[in-house]
Amino acid sequence: MLPACPLCRSADTRSLLQADGRDYLRCDGCQLTFLDPSQRLDPAAERAFYDTHCNEPDDPGYRRFLARLADPLMARLAPASEGLDYGCGPGPALAAMLEEGGHRVACYDPYYRPDTGVLTRSYDFVTCTEVAEHFRDPAGEFARLAALLRPGGWLALMTCFQTDDTRFAHWHYRRDPTHVVFYREETFAWLAAQLGWTLEVPAKDVALLRRPAPSAHRPAACQ
């Protein structure tokens, strides 16, 4: 029996391809592509691979990359909003950019900023850049992220959208051994619909999901 989808939990999955000795599956419900869970790296090997990354907070090229998410998000935020950078890594450049824009940002990363106290609060926005492709339990992770947002809040995601199955085997994103789930735009549309949220895709590989603000209830007119 094939593994169920780790996002929508559907059993409607099928084998997509095998590459580099790893087996990838596709969910026909939410369109997620995912690595066979039995073939994931162990946590120590995953951490060792992360430690090879070099993303300096002051690097201009890295900041331009992050601006694809930061700029459209800040255009939608109220002044002095409070947010969380979820999966910030060892050098939280995005948090610094948002703080320079006048917002307050807490940071969380299971390896580099493992302060779970920040996960007990709620926020006007949560950012998740180059992180969602690492989720071993995307259903649980997105439920956690949704619970962190206040009404009217934004969940800002950046991950390379998977588009072309014929190029998947040779795609650089797939070849990263820590990448275990791959999203299409249709996957984020499915997620937004399940949450009852709205979805915007303001730039390549960027998804902005918004939790609805509470409706204004006006008193009924006098009869």
Side-chain angles (χ1 to χ4, degrees):
M1 181 180 293
L2 294 175
C5 175
L7 177 59
C8 71
R9 308 299 195 197
S10 171
D12 191 14
T13 59
R14 56 185 169 85
S15 296
L16 181 64
L17 62 81
Q18 184 181 76
D20 301 331
R22 295 192 290 271
D23 299 301
Y24 295 88
L25 300 97
R26 165 68 50 75
C27 175
D28 286 328
C30 66
Q31 296 298 304
L32 188 78
T33 301
F34 62 99
L35 176 68
D36 186 314
S38 68
Q39 298 172 348
R40 298 168 180 162
L41 295 180
D42 63 56
E46 185 177 53
R47 168 64 188 268
F49 191 84
Y50 293 156
D51 288 341
T52 67
H53 293 179
C54 184
N55 295 322
E56 295 296 333
D58 296 328
D59 180 88
Y62 188 43
R63 282 182 164 239
R64 284 193 297 272
F65 171 72
L66 294 174
R68 287 165 39 197
L69 178 140
D71 289 350
L73 174 61
M74 287 195 284
R76 291 161 172 78
L77 294 177
S81 290
E82 184 180 14
L84 173 70
D85 187 8
Y86 188 86
C88 63
L94 179 61
M97 293 167 65
L98 294 167
E99 288 177 341
E100 290 162 9
H103 306 289
R104 292 170 292 160
V105 187
C107 292
Y108 172 76
D109 189 284
Y111 290 119
Y112 302 104
R113 297 286 186 97
D115 175 15
T116 56
V118 300
L119 304 179
T120 65
R121 310 203 307 262
S122 60
Y123 300 92
D124 301 310
F125 65 91
V126 175
T127 59
C128 191
T129 58
E130 296 298 306
V131 173
E133 62 275 11
H134 303 281
F135 286 166
R136 295 175 178 235
D137 175 22
E141 293 284 3
F142 283 115
R144 169 187 271 184
L145 295 174
L148 291 168
L149 277 176
R150 297 166 182 157
W154 292 91
L155 173 59
L157 302 157
M158 185 161 68
T159 183
C160 282
F161 292 9
Q162 195 267 319
T163 58
D164 188 349
D165 287 350
T166 64
R167 299 175 61 187
F168 185 73
H170 303 289
W171 189 29
H172 76 281
Y173 220 58
R174 182 209 63 79
R175 294 198 303 268
D176 185 320
T178 65
H179 292 179
V180 297
V181 287
F182 307 88
Y183 308 82
R184 292 174 175 264
E185 185 173 331
E186 295 91 338
T187 312
F188 290 121
W190 176 91
L191 179 62
Q194 290 298 304
L195 293 169
W197 295 8
T198 59
L199 169 68
E200 297 180 46
V201 180
K204 182 179 182 297
D205 299 330
V206 174
L208 301 180
L209 290 86
R210 191 179 194 190
R211 181 177 180 178
S215 301
H217 297 288
R218 298 180 179 179
C222 296
Q223 299 297 317

